Amino acid sequence: MEHITLLLAIVVVTALVFDFTNGFHDTANAMATTISTGAMKPKTAVAMSAVLNLIGAFLSVEVAKTISGGIVNEDGIRTEVIFAALVGAILWNLLTWLVGLPSSSSHALFGGLIGAAVMSAGWSSINGGTVVTKVLLPAIAAPLVAGLAAMLATRLTYRINRNVTDPNQLKSTAKGYRAGQIASAGLVSLAHGTNDAQKTMGIITLALVTGGVLAPGSNPPMWVIVSAGIAIALGTYLGGWRIIRTMGKGLTDLRPPQGFAAQTSAATVILASSHLGFSLSTTQSCSGAVMGAGLGRKGGVVRWSTATRMFVAWGLTLPAAGLVGAGAEFLTKQGPWGITVTALLLVGGSFAIWLASRRQPVDHTNVNDTAVDGTDIDGSATTGEPQGVVTTAIAAVQPPPIGPLPTDLMTTIPAPTAAPDDTARPSATV
């Protein structure tokens, strides 16, 4: 067994930096809806998410084994390939964070790894069957399954409470949904740690195998598990406020029952995939669930302009990160000077993106303060993107809810018996 070389140490540190960016890039997956509905304060939400991400990192290593020994052939892969792959993944993560798009950190990592491996050893270094069955197919299925489950759960939630009309009971129900939303957000955080922290574990394990420190097929050592869990937890606590804003306010206006349905559906999909070793994108699962919850409530609006930009980012992630990874690998193949240039480009690019983000900073103090697409921040009026054809068609299946009338009008106007518009809001006053 060889000692860890300087290059291998640099690769391990770079992998942990990626894990850190993965944490703050994907904080929105667990906490965007909780923060946007006011169920938790922003800093409290990200702190809870960070702790549960750390715990989740210790629950399984199935996804890590998929990455370390499944996507690429370990034989013939040099340590420099792992470094080049991480460069592509980190830069794509930071770029999409800058513009506030919830792209997939997982696919950025896979794209960088595939691009660097192909540049180094050709297409024969890629296990095409594993890429299709455990990366591409879950990428398509996860948001659809999570979205459908969230839409059905949202409709079921409103149907169960359609006869709740008493104001006190409405308030009690709203509190219950907020508590459920907090619990489901914790479940998503736990699932995120179980799935995403393992991806960095897999990359570090692969680097240790290529460096001769571990035998092929080895499980991640304990120090790798601990360091990856801590890195993603620290990134989560930092909070990816730009993406939280997009997920919480940019896609749709969520209320506590919808938030609860979306997070529970997403967590179920993520945990099931982690158990099966499918390295799906938690971002795509949670985004699909948010849109499904938006479609599930009568009058809910999914802002398809924002969703379209997000879909484009999803489609570009694998090839874009792959191209950057391939370019970085081309440089590292030139020798020590190429590795140095690649490292300088990574640091310089990251710093430039950070400087650009300071022009319009977003943090926990203003994550819910700015309107998105012209929509009022409190959700009371929608002046932005109108309800689209898809939203209208799906929502029309459910009859519009009607709220109870005030007591002083009961003598002249019969009180309707249908459900209120939302269990989390008191009756309107005429």
Side-chain angles (χ1 to χ4, degrees), residues 405 409-416:
L405 294 174
L409 293 180
M410 291 295 184
T411 56
T412 57
I413 302 178

Side-chain angles (χ1 to χ4, degrees), residues 9-19 82-83 86-87 90 346:
I10 292 174
V11 171
V12 170
V13 172
T14 307
L16 294 176
V17 171
F18 165 77
D19 204 23
I82 313 301
F83 178 60
L86 291 167
V87 170
I90 290 172
L346 173 61

